[in-house]
Amino acid sequence: FSSPVPKTEHARAGVMVLVSKTITELGTISTNKLPTHTQGHMLHVTVENPGSNPLHILGVYCPPQGGNQEHRSRLYKECKNFLAKTISTHDTVIVAGDFNATLQHADRASITTTAADAVHRAFVEEAGLTTIDPPNVDAAGKPVARQHTFRRHRAATPCSRIDDILVIQTSAAIADMHPHLTFVEMTGVGTDHDIMTAQLSYHGIRVLPPVAASSDETNKGKKLKTPISKADYITLQHVLRAQQPHKYAKLNTRLQAYLDGEVTPHWNNM
């Protein structure tokens, strides 16, 4: 999924979100309509699987320092409006991208804070967001720089950390995600950013893992355990018997194809 800059604009911007097909094997994935002014700067993708909380992924690209900071404020306002709606629903939200701003002054080699940095930090605090790569302090209590990801020139040494992955979670909940961060140096590859990747546990983001083969050796190759509840199982069986169109009919057809007519609920206690 992508959100390119309108052809009428000549800005260097754009957002792309890629989601593995294995995550949506039995669910749905969709993009959400956003105001025109966010085009090329924000993309909202929702992943919904049976038995899992909806997962919202917001890809963001903010204007650089010296760019249109009013645009930055409007992007943050749009984010906060959406995030406020998810507090009561307990949906999982990941906000990630190039914010062109830092979370702490130590994240710049110059140890300075720009106007964009101040606006960004205020947004993160007001929205209740937390980075999955929290800053640390040294023995003297002095902030320690996080891994830098941006370089002023493609061949230069990274000088700041303006890329991040944010979630609405407590520090304890983030630890439960077991985030595993990896940084890939991209010197000489035609970009001024290094790659930042993060592996998060399915449990941590409240999403059931993709369909996997049963561990029962006697049924190996014959059954698959599926991430659906007993209620969904009963509904699917009624649809199958009635042979009537239903909102679950397409899902039921796909399940039957996988399981050769037999559905085994993944969570027996539901």
Side-chain angles (χ1 to χ4, degrees):
F1 301 91
S2 63
S3 175
V5 176
K7 293 182 179 179
T8 54
E9 296 184 19
H10 298 287
R12 295 176 60 186
V15 179
M16 181 177 290
V17 173
L18 288 78
V19 181
S20 172
K21 291 181 180 179
T22 59
I23 298 178
T24 58
E25 197 75 50
L26 299 175
T28 61
I29 182 169
S30 60
T31 56
N32 299 271
K33 188 174 181 179
L34 294 171
T36 305
H37 70 81
T38 66
Q39 192 171 345
H41 294 272
M42 187 182 297
L43 178 62
H44 179 186
V45 175
T46 300
V47 178
E48 296 183 273
N49 284 325
S52 298
N53 289 34
L55 170 62
H56 301 277
I57 304 171
L58 274 68
V60 179
Y61 173 76
C62 287
Q65 179 71 18
N68 188 342
Q69 296 308 305
E70 182 181 344
H71 198 174
R72 174 188 293 275
S73 296
R74 287 192 293 170
L75 291 172
Y76 286 163
K77 181 179 180 181
E78 195 64 37
C79 272
K80 285 192 289 186
N81 288 341
F82 169 72
L83 293 172
K85 299 175 184 177
T86 66
I87 294 176
S88 60
T89 60
H90 303 291
D91 292 1
T92 299
V93 183
I94 298 175
V95 184
D98 176 2
F99 296 96
N100 270 305
T102 63
L103 282 181
Q104 58 171 358
H105 65 270
D107 284 345
R108 290 188 185 278
S110 58
I111 316 296
T112 57
T113 295
T114 68
D117 293 338
V119 173
H120 179 59
R121 294 169 198 175
F123 157 68
V124 171
E125 183 176 355
E126 292 168 8
L129 290 164
T130 307
T131 175
I132 65 168
D133 183 23
N136 291 314
V137 295
D138 59 21
K142 187 177 180 180
V144 177
R146 298 186 299 162
Q147 175 79 38
H148 289 172
T149 56
F150 171 74
R151 58 191 79 229
R152 292 189 182 281
H153 306 287
R154 293 178 181 177
T157 301
C159 60
S160 64
R161 173 63 176 278
I162 57 178
D163 306 287
D164 226 324
I165 300 173
L166 310 172
V167 294
I168 300 184
Q169 298 282 8
T170 63
S171 297
I174 291 176
D176 195 37
M177 291 181 179
H178 304 293
H180 177 69
L181 297 174
T182 304
F183 297 89
V184 182
E185 184 179 339
M186 299 297 287
T187 304
V189 188
T191 176
D192 52 9
H193 286 257
D194 287 345
I195 293 177
M196 173 186 177
T197 69
Q199 292 181 330
L200 306 175
S201 68
Y202 286 103
H203 171 72
I205 59 175
R206 299 192 289 269
V207 172
L208 286 174
V211 176
S214 169
S215 58
D216 186 347
E217 290 297 325
T218 59
N219 294 318
K220 193 171 184 180
K222 298 180 181 179
K223 292 183 180 179
L224 290 175
K225 290 190 175 181
T226 61
I228 62 173
S229 65
K230 281 189 175 180
D232 287 340
Y233 168 69
I234 293 172
T235 300
L236 292 172
Q237 290 303 308
H238 283 314
V239 173
L240 185 63
R241 294 191 189 97
Q243 292 295 306
Q244 294 177 350
H246 189 277
K247 64 179 181 178
Y248 289 119
K250 183 178 179 180
L251 175 59
N252 181 57
T253 300
R254 293 167 67 188
L255 282 172
Q256 296 302 323
Y258 270 118
L259 310 178
D260 194 23
E262 184 172 358
V263 177
T264 303
H266 183 61
W267 284 357
N268 294 323
N269 62 337
M270 292 186 67

